[in-house]
Amino acid sequence: MTDGLSPNSIPVIPRGVRLHWDHVREKWVLLAPERAVALDPIGHAIMTEIDGARSFGTITTALADKYGAPHEQVAADAGEFLRGLMNRRILEVA
């Protein structure tokens, strides 16, 4: 389990935050009020799985299956990434 994020937690992108293709930077970014977070391909893959309905465990299982990676590693990496967004108030848990 990751601090504040268990397999049953449902990550939610809060109102005012959105995933956006930045044509200038030619990369995906998360736009929040007065902030932008550039996403690498892994961050983008994680964020595209968040729909506000599926649990963290379901999301990490889907990512592990999609990319043929060990579930434990995906859960650890995704948890660290999402915890960082939660600390910046760019992601919430329902």
Side-chain angles (χ1 to χ4, degrees), residues 2-88:
T2 304
D3 294 337
L5 203 57
S6 73
N8 295 325
S9 298
I10 298 174
V12 176
I13 298 172
R15 184 175 175 197
V17 177
R18 65 187 172 101
L19 190 59
H20 175 76
W21 175 254
D22 186 325
H23 294 284
V24 174
R25 293 183 183 117
E26 294 188 356
K27 63 172 51 180
W28 286 98
V29 295
L30 280 173
L31 295 179
E34 300 184 25
R35 294 177 282 181
V37 176
L39 298 175
D40 63 11
I42 295 169
H44 179 254
I46 295 167
M47 292 306 298
T48 58
E49 295 291 328
I50 295 174
D51 61 7
R54 294 187 305 151
S55 70
F56 177 68
T58 301
I59 290 168
T60 55
T61 297
L63 288 167
D65 292 346
K66 183 175 182 178
Y67 294 103
H71 182 266
E72 297 78 21
Q73 186 65 49
V74 171
D77 292 346
E80 182 179 341
F81 172 73
L82 295 179
R83 187 176 61 243
L85 294 179
M86 290 167 61
N87 289 341
R88 296 172 78 180

